[in-house]
Amino acid sequence: MFVASFTRSPIPIYSTTFSSSVAAASRLSRLRCRPCAHSRPLLGPVDRSSKASTLSDSLKILEWDKLCDAVASFAGTALGRDATKAQLSSVDVRFDESRRLLEETAAAVELIKYGAGLDFTRVNTVLVKSAITRVSRGSPLDGVEAVAVVGLIQIAETLQNTLKAALKEDAEWYNRFMPLTQMLLDAVVSQSFVKTAQLMIDEDGSVKDSASSELRRSRFQVRVLEQKLYQLMDKLIRQEKNETSTLEMCIVNGRCCIKVMTDRSTIFDGLLLSSGSRAGSMLEPIAAVPLNDELQRARALVIKAEEEVLSKLADKMLAEIDDIQNLLQIIIRLDVITARAKYSLAYDGTFPDIYMPNHIGGEPSDSLSQGATTSSASSHPSRRNWKLYMPKSYHPLLLKRHLEDLHNAKKDVVDATAEIRRNFLGKHIEGNDGDACLASMKLRVSELEKNYPVPVDLMITENTNVLVITGPNTGGKTISLKTVGLGSLMAKTGLYVLASEPVKIPWFDGIYADIGDEQSLTQSLSTFSGHLRQIGAIRSQSTHKSLVLLDEVGAGTNPLEGAALGMSILESFAETGSFLTIATTHHGELKMLKYRNDAFENACVEFDELSLKPTYKILWGVPGRSNAINIAERLSLNYVIVDGARKLLGTANAEINEVIVDMERFKQSFQEHLQEAEHYLILSKELRESLLVAKKKIADHAQRKIPVAGDMVHVPSLGMQVVVSKVEETKGEIIVQAGNMKLRLKLKDIQSQRRRTSRIWRTHGNTPTASKWGIGWG
């Protein structure tokens, strides 16, 4: 990617209006104290205890909580989802922890690609946790909970077996799956509990009859008594049945009764359990009372026998409670890691090369290269020149929303098509309305596919401390800020970054943002004052390892004062405020900071003057230019007004804009040629790979055919041609005649072979021609 370099011009080229703002900024700079390396220039006193609050506000501005929810949705268990949110929400992690999290995610990606699945949806972690709590308190185990524990152990055993099979296939998988390899292999899988539970508990959580002899007898007695009661009730109902009464058997509190829907007396005596004009009367026949009492006692014996079985199973689990509890923690942790991996794969993320910023000079002091990034690093020799390198980066929440809308739109088309085929939409849409609705849905899909989110190229050189982005509203400046902030948070918390390879991101100790119209209403602060308070807190708390994102710096007040204040703020951050500061602005004066301070760099949001719309692309190394007068002219505003505006603006600014236009055109042309060159480079690599494959096939074909006696073969180790005397194919050997000597050689030692036959020449006129060469190549 082209990054333009500029030299300072000895001749001032800015207008009188701009000169006054620069002068104001210079006066402000001279008035404020120059900070030493360890001082913190203040824009207002800020309590250091508010650091957590400032970071929390920044995360809220970046909508980090929404991204955490999106990643957590890929977890398979309830506790896994909660743990995923908790892990991602805790952004205060050390550099080595960030490295470990990324290594875990990369290992999970490899496991998924291998086919391990890592599907934890069948594990009910809530029930397993409840079972552990019950058993730890000495309470009997619930049958459903026991089934959940068995499921936990079985999924762990399946993962272990899959891993062992992979290692048996190729020992290299051990390192590729690290650190998950050791985590899985170290897990203790209790097969004894599984076997015991499966003997006692059914898949639905009920205790099996075979779990104990007492339970089998009690359940048999219950079935016998229930059968007797059903027969008795059926007999009574049939005896009482007539045209005016309606009787039916029902159960009240576990006792068999008869429901009578009329008020007249019955032929059997009974106990009235309840009555009602509409619901009828519930009668327990006197003849059924002894059987009901006996049934209740039998059922109590069943419950007691079941509790004894579950109590024994609880004792079995208690003996292995530590292993099961540890296994639950491992599965939850794996679920969290897998959620990060599945999210990264679903959105085609890239493993980030994350490095620790060095205080001195801002040079990288340590970096992480693993998995896919290893090849990327070697294929990009100039990669070390970047402080931050995120080519073709997507805002994760915008991409998620677009893909969801596209998925829903396609689903609507499929559903509508199926409905039309089924019944032509029936009563809902009739006639041509159905086709019109379907056409509208298809158009919606087409529009979404066409209007795919535009990725942003984020590339900042290592000697840049402050990047100033200028451009029109809705042009993508704020989205670019949030993309950098979210990408940095993703890399820090173990997520792949939604960008093209290679990706290089510093590990920031804090990511601070002042974006949008966030303000403290409780403190009755205006928008301008709210921004200043936030910037003051950020300036006080940021370090030489922090990322600072400022949106529309200096806005909300008088343009001249705002520009001067914005310049002073950015110069403060450039000196000792942060490792990297990215600011957006409408103040054209701020783009001149680059020509006064090498720590600054310019970028602008591209604007298409023909369509009068932003392209959402960033042009690096190019300062933004004003488009207001040109837009007014294209919108056919009165030419007198347009000319007057140009005169008031001054010729100097017009000349600056012309220079910027030329730079933008050059930049655009360079990008087109660069993309064309990259295209041909890819083609040449593909052709080279194809040639290598073809060459190998030809070589393999030439070397492995088995010769026969009389063939001439070449032996590379001897450097000579020899004649085959005998072939011992079963031994993989041949005997050859080399001069007066006979040698025994391996077939693999033969490089090429040819059939030795006589040559027959025929003469046509004065030109001899070969009618048969007799050379047979393998």
Side-chain angles (χ1 to χ4, degrees):
M1 175 59 64
F2 172 75
V3 177
S5 60
F6 297 86
T7 56
R8 299 183 185 179
S9 172
I11 303 174
I13 59 174
Y14 34 81
S15 65
T16 305
T17 303
F18 178 60
S19 300
S20 62
S21 63
V22 172
S26 299
R27 289 194 299 272
L28 199 155
S29 296
R30 287 195 299 271
L31 287 173
R32 64 182 174 87
C33 298
R34 290 288 178 180
C36 65
H38 302 287
S39 66
R40 314 299 300 168
L42 295 178
L43 298 176
V46 179
D47 188 358
R48 289 184 179 274
S49 64
S50 65
K51 181 176 181 179
S53 176
T54 305
L55 286 171
S56 177
D57 290 342
S58 298
L59 295 179
K60 182 180 178 181
I61 290 170
L62 293 172
E63 298 180 289
W64 178 242
D65 58 327
K66 293 183 180 178
L67 186 59
C68 294
D69 290 340
V71 178
S73 67
F74 285 85
T77 68
L79 296 185
R81 285 187 286 275
D82 294 340
T84 301
K85 291 181 185 179
Q87 183 256 302
L88 294 175
S89 300
S90 179
V91 298
D92 187 17
V93 294
R94 301 188 309 272
F95 175 64
D96 60 320
E97 292 175 339
S98 295
R99 291 173 60 119
R100 175 182 57 79
L101 291 170
L102 284 170
E103 288 170 353
E104 290 174 349
T105 306
V109 167
E110 291 296 330
L111 270 172
I112 293 171
K113 290 180 178 179
Y114 176 79
L118 295 178
D119 182 9
F120 302 102
T121 54
R122 294 177 299 163
V123 180
N124 194 324
T125 51
V126 175
L127 287 178
V128 174
K129 184 178 179 180
S130 175
I132 293 173
T133 303
R134 277 177 176 268
V135 171
S136 300
R137 292 175 179 174
S139 302
L141 191 63
D142 183 85
V144 177
E145 293 172 347
V147 172
V149 175
V150 169
L152 174 78
I153 296 173
Q154 287 178 332
I155 192 70
E157 183 186 22
T158 301
L159 287 173
Q160 279 190 347
N161 292 337
T162 302
L163 180 60
K164 289 174 182 177
L167 298 181
K168 188 176 181 180
E169 176 185 324
D170 186 354
E172 183 58 29
W173 287 112
Y174 183 90
N175 295 324
R176 296 186 67 177
F177 294 156
M178 282 295 287
L180 303 188
T181 308
Q182 207 59 48
M183 187 192 307
L184 283 169
L185 293 179
D186 289 346
V188 178
V189 177
S190 175
Q191 280 300 323
S192 59
F193 177 81
V194 172
K195 292 178 180 177
T196 303
Q198 289 177 336
L199 288 174
M200 296 180 172
I201 309 296
D202 261 324
E203 292 181 357
D204 61 355
S206 60
V207 182
K208 292 182 177 180
D209 288 350
S210 58
S212 75
S213 57
E214 183 63 29
L215 178 61
R216 185 186 297 109
R217 285 194 299 270
S218 299
R219 283 182 174 172
F220 177 75
Q221 187 179 4
V222 166
R223 288 192 291 270
V224 170
L225 290 171
E226 288 176 341
Q227 184 65 27
K228 288 182 178 180
L229 277 167
Y230 293 156
Q231 291 174 352
L232 175 62
M233 294 299 173
D234 182 64
K235 179 180 178 182
L236 293 174
I237 290 173
R238 281 190 285 104
Q239 289 176 351
E240 184 69 18
K241 187 174 181 181
N242 57 56
E243 297 179 355
T244 60
S245 66
T246 303
L247 305 178
E248 61 180 53
M249 191 189 81
C250 58
I251 305 296
V252 178
N253 296 326
R255 303 180 73 87
C256 289
C257 303
I258 293 178
K259 184 177 182 181
V260 182
M261 300 302 295
T262 61
D263 293 333
R264 76 179 189 83
S265 60
T266 60
I267 62 173
F268 59 84
D269 295 330
L271 302 175
L272 180 63
L273 300 183
S274 64
S275 64
S277 58
R278 294 185 179 180
S281 301
M282 300 293 182
L283 296 176
E284 180 180 1
I286 296 297
V289 170
L291 288 174
N292 272 328
D293 291 342
E294 192 175 356
L295 179 61
Q296 295 294 87
R297 289 192 294 270
R299 285 173 174 167
L301 291 175
V302 168
I303 294 174
K304 182 180 178 182
E306 288 178 345
E307 288 180 349
E308 289 177 353
V309 171
L310 292 173
S311 180
K312 291 179 181 178
L313 191 58
D315 293 339
K316 181 69 175 176
M317 181 176 169
L318 184 62
E320 304 170 9
I321 192 69
D322 292 338
D323 292 337
I324 294 174
Q325 193 163 11
N326 182 56
L327 193 60
L328 174 63
Q329 297 304 317
I330 289 175
I331 292 300
I332 293 174
R333 184 179 172 189
L334 281 173
D335 197 14
V336 173
I337 297 170
T338 302
R340 298 200 306 261
K342 288 183 176 179
Y343 172 85
S344 301
L345 287 172
Y347 290 94
D348 198 21
T350 297
F351 186 97
D353 184 359
I354 188 170
Y355 69 93
M356 173 69 77
N358 193 323
H359 185 178
I360 302 174
E363 299 290 336
S365 61
D366 196 2
S367 64
L368 174 64
S369 294
Q370 165 134 355
T373 55
T374 304
S375 60
S376 300
S378 60
S379 64
H380 199 283
S382 62
R383 187 176 176 189
R384 294 182 180 177
N385 297 330
W386 304 108
K387 175 176 284 188
L388 182 142
Y389 191 82
M390 295 171 59
K392 293 181 175 58
S393 304
Y394 288 97
H395 187 293
L397 296 179
L398 290 183
L399 183 61
K400 174 179 179 290
R401 185 187 310 160
H402 177 84
L403 294 178
E404 286 177 348
D405 290 345
L406 182 59
H407 172 77
N408 293 333
K410 289 182 176 179
K411 185 176 183 297
D412 290 341
V413 171
V414 172
D415 293 344
T417 303
E419 185 68 17
I420 290 175
R421 290 176 178 174
R422 195 160 46 243
N423 55 10
F424 299 100
L425 293 183
K427 299 178 181 178
H428 303 290
I429 302 176
E430 298 179 356
N432 294 329
D433 291 340
D435 294 334
C437 182
L438 183 60
S440 175
M441 292 178 181
K442 290 182 178 179
L443 180 62
R444 167 70 172 160
V445 172
S446 178
E447 289 175 349
L448 286 171
E449 290 177 338
K450 181 180 178 181
N451 298 321
Y452 201 83
V454 179
V456 182
D457 289 319
L458 299 165
M459 293 159 288
I460 301 174
T461 54
E462 59 187 12
N463 59 343
T464 299
N465 293 340
V466 179
L467 173 68
V468 179
I469 305 177
T470 54
N473 286 331
T474 69
K477 300 193 305 295
T478 303
I479 293 299
S480 299
L481 288 185
K482 290 187 175 182
T483 301
V484 175
L486 290 174
S488 302
L489 286 167
M490 292 168 74
K492 187 176 182 181
T493 55
L495 289 168
Y496 281 18
V497 179
L498 309 190
S500 300
E501 294 185 24
V503 172
K504 181 178 181 180
I505 299 180
W507 177 90
F508 297 110
D509 63 355
I511 297 170
Y512 300 91
D514 177 53
I515 300 174
D517 293 329
E518 298 291 333
Q519 56 180 302
S520 175
L521 298 178
T522 58
Q523 298 180 21
S524 300
L525 297 175
S526 67
T527 301
F528 177 71
S529 301
H531 282 305
L532 282 185
R533 177 61 62 90
Q534 178 75 356
I535 292 173
I538 292 173
R539 182 64 188 87
S540 175
Q541 298 163 15
S542 62
T543 72
H544 59 273
K545 295 180 180 178
S546 299
L547 172 65
V548 175
L549 306 170
L550 304 177
D551 190 30
E552 298 299 344
V553 63
T557 187
N558 177 278
L560 290 179
E561 289 186 320
L565 186 59
M567 294 173 74
S568 183
I569 289 172
L570 295 184
E571 284 182 329
S572 173
F573 278 107
E575 291 171 359
T576 57
S578 67
F579 182 68
L580 177 61
T581 298
I582 305 177
T584 67
T585 183
H586 274 98
H587 296 300
E589 296 87 342
L590 271 65
K591 63 192 176 188
M592 302 307 296
L593 287 169
K594 172 182 171 59
Y595 309 106
R596 298 170 44 187
N597 190 332
D598 292 336
F600 283 79
E601 181 57 279
N602 285 328
C604 70
V605 178
E606 187 180 46
F607 187 84
D608 187 348
E609 290 190 5
L610 295 178
S611 64
L612 300 180
K613 293 180 180 179
T615 64
Y616 304 103
K617 295 180 181 178
I618 292 182
L619 300 178
W620 292 88
V622 179
R625 59 189 173 90
S626 173
N627 294 286
I629 296 179
N630 292 336
I631 292 173
E633 184 177 31
R634 289 190 176 275
L635 292 176
S636 301
L637 190 65
N638 188 288
Y639 73 93
V640 176
I641 298 176
V642 173
D643 288 346
R646 285 202 172 103
K647 289 177 182 178
L648 290 173
L649 182 64
T651 57
N653 267 327
E655 291 173 357
I656 292 175
N657 278 339
E658 288 301 321
V659 172
I660 294 175
V661 169
D662 290 339
M663 292 175 63
E664 289 179 355
R665 288 172 181 166
F666 171 76
K667 187 88 169 186
Q668 218 165 15
S669 175
F670 178 84
Q671 288 300 320
E672 291 173 358
H673 285 88
L674 180 62
Q675 290 175 0
E676 185 179 7
E678 290 176 345
H679 172 69
Y680 286 121
L681 180 61
I682 292 172
L683 285 180
S684 64
K685 287 182 177 178
E686 292 176 351
L687 287 173
R688 182 177 180 274
E689 291 295 327
S690 299
L691 287 172
L692 289 175
V693 171
K695 181 180 178 182
K696 186 177 184 302
K697 287 182 178 178
I698 293 172
D700 291 343
H701 184 69
Q703 294 173 9
R704 293 323 293 159
K705 279 193 174 180
I706 299 175
V708 297
D711 282 355
M712 181 75 75
V713 297
H714 177 72
V715 183
S717 60
L718 299 177
M720 61 185 297
Q721 304 280 348
V722 295
V723 180
V724 177
S725 300
K726 184 179 180 182
V727 178
E728 297 180 355
E729 189 174 347
T730 56
K731 296 181 179 179
E733 296 178 344
I734 61 172
I735 299 174
V736 300
Q737 185 75 36
N740 297 325
M741 296 185 298
K742 284 190 176 181
L743 301 175
R744 183 180 292 273
L745 302 173
K746 295 288 185 182
L747 283 172
K748 64 180 181 179
D749 295 333
I750 301 172
Q751 188 179 54
S752 62
Q753 63 183 46
R754 64 182 178 181
R755 184 71 50 83
R756 188 179 69 169
T757 59
S758 59
R759 294 179 180 178
I760 303 175
W761 297 86
R762 292 180 182 175
T763 303
H764 295 280
N766 295 325
T767 306
T769 60
S771 63
K772 184 177 181 181
W773 286 91
I775 300 176
W777 293 92

